[in-house]
Amino acid sequence: MNTRFFSIKIAVVGSGPAGFYTTQRLLKNQDIRVDIFEKLPVPFGLVRYGVAPDHQEVKNVINSFTAVANHDRVNFYGNVSLGEAIKVDDLLEAYHAVVLCYGSAQDKLLNIDGELTTKNTISARNFVGWYNGVPEDKDLEIDLNCDTACIIGQGNVALDCARILSKPTNLEKTDITSYAQQMIANSEIKKIYIIGRRGPIQVSFATKELRELMHLNDSRIKIEPSTMFEDYGLSLAQLKSLSRQRRRLVELILNLHAVSKKNLDHSPECILKFMSKPHKIVANRDTGWVERLELQRTRYDNADEFINEKSVPIDTNEFEKIDCGLVIRSIGYKATMVDKSLPFDTKLGAIMNTRGRIHGYRSLYCSGWLATGASGVIAGTLQSSQVTAQSILEDIQNKQLPSLAVDKSGYETIREIVKAKSIQVVHFNDWLQIDLLERRLGETMGKPREKFVDVDKMLDVAREKIKHDQK
Ligand code: FAD
Ligand code: NAP
């Protein structure tokens, strides 16, 4: 018999897909109330700040997240950062359970010379944040007045960066920030290298994204070295051992080789460069800006290795130089450590957990990229969130949550903590006002929205809304 006479209070940290999907699933238990805490004044994580502006349809998930936020058993508290405004222990004290969904807010490093010291060598995370209006990336020092850009890494983020630099049609009609759109429209980049340390069988990007780049570039996209398959004595027939999906992708890459002869001048030429490991980034001595990327060639010992998706090549003694004026490092994201006591898998860049249960803790869980590492699309995050929410629901059902013995104060305690630190909390209604004003501004410019890129501006709008409501 259920003798509990109070509701189960759960704190969710992070309002990206993982935060919302986890909350949505938890609400299935009618006793549960969820408070969502978000570092920024605005919700939706990488849906707002990662997904490319020319992929507006992907952002439709925001509608279902909004429905979750508007649920009467859910509260949203924006501008409250875990690790700064509040601590994990504060939340564990105030809530019956806590779910960390704060994603992967750092980028991985190459650890090569010049990576962090050479100007116009930036991470894809910052570049994406710049064009998508992440407040801390809005002033990114970037110059697109150069002939050649090198993107290191061959994942979907690398292709996003290459596509945006290739000036897709109607970019100005998307929610890209105006300052980025204007700089991209005036960019002088004519050549974009997308560089992989492995071969075409091992790329991380997907067929759909490659097709998009091909169509955009009127087939001005080619592969290097173009003789790779011949070098390993391979033919298309030998791709049979691959999965159908991977075979289709590799065939597409090979076809790039066949169709890359067109010489149109609309957008930059893209070159998928394989078997090349970044070795050094060299700056101009006088200006400090990047002028060269040095690569070390890699190779497989034999055709079987070349054709195996998991193979890792060995280094050769051959080096190559690409003169370039921009380097974008797109080699993946990793989570930040907001609390040193959390068990962290540094290799994966994620918190150690089993089905969302954080190792060494009771009543502390995680989901999304923080739980799985920074890989997978929004649908994958949905899955991870459902697994975690299911673990919590089971732990409640099986009386595995000792915290449930007593009532918890929930937001009442947190309110005092943030008030003492003079933090202005942004509620979901305040966000709706920011949203409205962004969309209105966008309308005057023929785009879905023009994002506010200053936290202070967002907070001003929220403050005005509160004043107005109090009148
Ligand atoms: P996030 O979306 O990163 O959400 C984490 C949230 O936590 C953020 O709101 C963040 O502000 C907040 N947060 C961070 N630190 C704190 C803190 N200390 N305290 C409180 N809150 C905090 N998938 C697709 O399906 N389609 C696409 O087109 C697509 N494009 C992508 C483009 C890029 C550039 C990237 C990087 C990813 C893309 N993805 C895409 C993948 C998709 O974005 C992820 O699968 C998904 O966003 C992961 O969700 P998450 O909630 O785990 O993390
Ligand atoms: P990713 O898919 O993991 O790709 C990272 C790339 O960087 C790989 O090519 C990897 O090569 C390379 N790399 C890693 N370390 C390297 C090093 N030290 N030196 C050289 N190269 C290195 O990461 P991502 O592109 O950041 O994408 C993250 C996730 O978001 C992915 O799951 C992606 O599908 C998703 N996403 C989806 C979309 C979409 O659906 N449209 C858009 C953007 C992102 P190796 O394989 O050799 O390690």
Side-chain angles (χ1 to χ4, degrees):
M1 196 180 69
N2 186 2
T3 51
R4 204 184 315 110
F5 53 88
F6 50 80
S7 53
I8 302 170
K9 299 187 182 90
I10 299 186
V12 162
V13 181
S15 68
F20 278 107
Y21 285 134
T22 307
T23 301
Q24 189 172 34
R25 186 69 170 219
L26 288 172
L27 290 176
K28 291 200 180 310
N29 179 326
Q30 304 292 325
D31 289 342
I32 290 179
R33 307 187 70 88
V34 180
D35 289 344
I36 302 177
F37 293 93
E38 165 60 49
K39 172 176 79 169
L40 288 168
V42 295
F44 310 137
L46 286 170
V47 179
R48 178 176 162 101
Y49 286 132
V51 172
D54 58 338
H55 283 174
Q56 286 297 311
E57 70 293 346
V58 177
K59 298 182 187 239
N60 287 338
V61 287
I62 283 177
N63 297 331
S64 59
F65 296 165
T66 300
V68 172
N70 281 326
H71 193 286
D72 57 8
R73 284 187 279 125
V74 176
N75 282 303
F76 172 83
Y77 301 109
N79 199 35
V80 181
S81 177
L82 182 68
E84 289 172 32
I86 49 171
K87 307 278 178 230
V88 173
D89 283 345
D90 298 330
L91 291 174
L92 286 171
E93 185 64 34
Y95 289 86
H96 291 110
V98 177
V99 197
L100 305 181
C101 316
Y102 60 80
S104 310
Q106 267 185 309
D107 29 66
K108 291 186 182 158
L109 286 173
L110 289 162
N111 297 314
I112 59 169
D113 277 359
E115 177 179 25
L116 298 174
T117 50
T118 310
K119 288 188 186 163
N120 236 21
T121 295
I122 55 181
S123 75
R125 191 176 63 82
N126 293 136
F127 178 60
V128 169
W130 173 74
Y131 66 64
N132 271 332
V134 173
E136 65 182 29
D137 294 323
K138 68 177 192 305
D139 298 318
L140 182 72
E141 198 179 7
I142 180 170
D143 185 357
L144 305 180
N145 292 321
C146 54
D147 265 13
T148 304
C150 287
I151 301 174
I152 300 169
Q154 292 184 328
N156 281 326
V157 173
L159 290 203
D160 272 0
C161 295
R163 197 177 67 254
I164 295 299
L165 282 175
S166 301
K167 311 181 187 181
T169 344
N170 292 333
L171 193 56
E172 69 285 1
K173 297 208 168 81
T174 69
D175 68 351
I176 189 169
T177 48
S178 292
Y179 60 77
Q181 186 271 322
Q182 276 157 21
M183 203 193 270
I184 289 164
N186 295 322
S187 140
E188 290 175 11
I189 295 172
K190 295 186 180 55
K191 224 181 226 189
I192 302 171
Y193 285 92
I194 306 163
I195 301 165
R197 57 183 171 180
R198 301 198 282 159
I201 317 290
Q202 295 89 20
V203 292
S204 289
F205 55 70
T207 306
K208 183 171 159 283
E209 277 63 33
L210 179 60
R211 274 192 205 286
E212 238 181 306
L213 190 64
M214 285 169 67
H215 293 150
L216 172 71
N217 271 283
D218 294 324
S219 304
R220 271 167 48 81
I221 169 165
K222 63 180 186 186
I223 61 171
E224 248 183 51
S226 58
T227 54
M228 261 174 308
F229 278 73
E230 293 90 325
D231 293 349
Y232 284 94
L234 285 163
S235 67
L236 274 182
Q238 278 150 301
L239 296 179
K240 282 208 177 88
S241 59
L242 300 176
S243 69
R244 204 150 62 98
Q245 211 180 5
R246 177 75 18 184
R247 199 165 61 234
R248 217 180 315 135
L249 175 57
V250 177
E251 282 170 3
L252 199 66
I253 294 172
L254 284 177
N255 265 331
L256 292 176
H257 171 39
V259 297
S260 64
K261 306 279 186 311
K262 275 195 205 173
N263 196 15
L264 303 169
D265 233 3
H266 306 156
S267 51
E269 177 186 35
C270 285
I271 298 144
L272 285 176
K273 191 166 180 57
F274 296 101
M275 312 298 297
S276 301
K277 186 176 136 180
H279 174 65
K280 192 184 201 180
I281 298 167
V282 182
N284 178 291
R285 271 200 202 167
D286 299 325
T287 63
W289 287 72
V290 57
E291 65 177 19
R292 196 167 70 239
L293 171 66
E294 294 187 6
L295 299 165
Q296 183 170 19
R297 293 246 176 86
T298 60
R299 71 169 170 81
Y300 289 113
D301 271 342
N302 52 52
D304 284 345
E305 281 193 15
F306 182 83
I307 219 155
N308 181 340
E309 280 180 55
K310 300 232 158 28
S311 294
V312 177
I314 51 171
D315 296 344
T316 70
N317 289 324
E318 289 172 55
F319 291 83
E320 192 185 349
K321 293 170 184 173
I322 301 179
D323 291 333
C324 59
L326 170 67
V327 173
I328 298 180
R329 181 185 68 233
S330 181
I331 60 166
Y333 292 48
K334 63 179 183 183
T336 44
M337 283 271 275
V338 298
D339 186 318
K340 285 206 171 71
S341 63
L342 295 172
F344 200 72
D345 180 337
T346 42
K347 194 153 173 253
L348 188 62
I351 289 187
M352 288 155 112
N353 70 95
T354 305
R355 295 183 67 76
R357 296 178 180 98
I358 296 182
H359 294 174
Y361 284 86
R362 307 205 44 198
S363 66
L364 188 60
Y365 303 81
C366 59
S367 69
W369 275 16
L370 184 62
T372 60
S375 101
V377 292
I378 295 169
T381 303
L382 165 65
Q383 258 183 347
S384 144
S385 306
Q386 288 183 337
V387 167
T388 299
Q390 194 53 35
S391 295
I392 299 170
L393 295 173
E394 280 168 19
D395 289 351
I396 292 171
Q397 176 83 17
N398 300 332
K399 303 201 177 352
Q400 292 298 308
L401 272 185
S403 53
L404 277 182
V406 290
D407 194 5
K408 290 277 187 173
S409 58
Y411 187 65
E412 276 175 35
T413 302
I414 305 300
R415 184 192 289 118
E416 294 311 312
I417 295 174
V418 292
K419 202 168 146 198
K421 293 183 177 171
S422 304
I423 289 166
Q424 181 189 338
V425 176
V426 176
H427 300 271
F428 203 72
N429 272 340
D430 306 334
W431 148 249
L432 291 178
Q433 181 67 10
I434 295 170
D435 179 44
L436 180 74
L437 296 188
E438 284 188 348
R439 282 191 283 117
R440 273 196 197 146
L441 184 59
E443 224 171 87
T444 63
M445 304 161 91
K447 53 197 289 197
R449 75 172 65 239
E450 180 65 28
K451 288 179 194 165
F452 296 151
V453 294
D454 277 306
V455 166
D456 285 345
K457 167 79 182 166
M458 298 173 187
L459 294 179
D460 279 350
V461 173
R463 249 193 316 268
E464 283 305 311
K465 165 91 175 47
I466 295 166
K467 268 197 227 155
H468 181 267
D469 290 349
Q470 283 168 347
K471 271 187 197 158

